[in-house]
Amino acid sequence: ILEQYEDKTLVITKDYIGEQMQFSNISTDFNTSTIKEFLLEKILPMFKIAFGDENIVEETTILESVHDKTIYGSYTGKIRLITYDEATKYKKILKGKLTGNYWAMTSFSSPGTDIYVSVGKSNGHFSVGAHVYDKNEYVRPVLCLKNDIFLFII
């Protein structure tokens, strides 16, 4: 659990999902990334079975570069990756025993130099980023769940 709000809870998977993969073969824009496609087609259906589609909350996330320049607009959906700002905010929670790096949905750079995406490390730190074509990073999905779903789990 990253953060609990009045009616929903922001969560990230404890472990990586799938194998190491590249972010995209064209740019750092999450909306056109192969990771987004992977999350929507392969991972979200599993979460819908586990939690129920009605218990996964759609949210809008601003796609802002590390340099605080909104360059790709926003993403609205039920599953995504963590942003650089969230990673900074939840650093103590994210620090763990996982080995390897995982992708964030945040571009590190600005238009014209958009080949790097922020990458989370097992020590809780986030690096400048990895080249979008790298296949050395893992996927660690983020989603919001309705708070009342936890009543059924307990």
Side-chain angles (χ1 to χ4, degrees), residues 8-153:
K8 63 186 178 181
T9 300
L10 184 66
V11 298
I12 188 169
T13 58
K14 181 178 178 183
D15 296 315
Y16 303 129
I17 304 288
E19 300 295 321
Q20 294 170 311
M21 63 185 299
Q22 73 181 30
F23 184 87
S24 173
N25 57 6
I26 51 175
S27 79
T28 59
D29 183 356
F30 181 77
N31 284 311
T32 61
S33 70
T34 51
I35 280 196
K36 176 188 166 194
E37 183 179 317
F38 173 74
L39 289 171
L40 292 175
E41 294 178 9
K42 304 287 185 192
I43 305 305
L44 184 58
M46 294 186 319
F47 286 131
K48 285 180 178 182
I49 291 169
F51 301 116
D53 185 36
E54 69 281 0
N55 293 312
I56 303 172
V57 179
E58 185 172 87
E59 61 173 344
T60 299
T61 305
I62 303 299
L63 299 176
E64 195 171 60
S65 75
V66 173
H67 298 288
D68 293 330
K69 297 175 185 171
T70 303
I71 56 175
Y72 297 116
S74 62
Y75 166 74
T76 300
K78 291 188 171 190
I79 191 167
R80 61 181 176 84
L81 300 176
I82 196 164
T83 67
Y84 180 85
D85 290 339
E86 289 170 333
T88 302
K89 181 177 181 179
Y90 306 122
K91 180 180 171 182
K92 290 182 182 180
I93 297 170
L94 295 171
K95 186 177 181 180
K97 297 180 180 181
L98 294 176
T99 58
N101 300 332
Y102 57 96
W103 291 109
M105 67 188 299
T106 309
S107 171
F108 180 78
S109 50
S110 302
T113 60
D114 62 349
I115 58 170
Y116 293 101
V117 177
S118 302
V119 173
K121 299 183 175 287
S122 58
N123 63 6
H125 294 283
F126 260 66
S127 72
V128 167
H131 193 282
V132 293
Y133 306 116
D134 288 349
K135 294 183 180 179
N136 301 322
E137 283 69 40
Y138 291 97
V139 176
R140 199 172 176 195
V142 170
L143 59 150
C144 269
L145 299 174
K146 289 182 179 179
N147 281 343
D148 57 3
I149 188 175
F150 294 109
L151 296 175
F152 297 110
I153 295 173

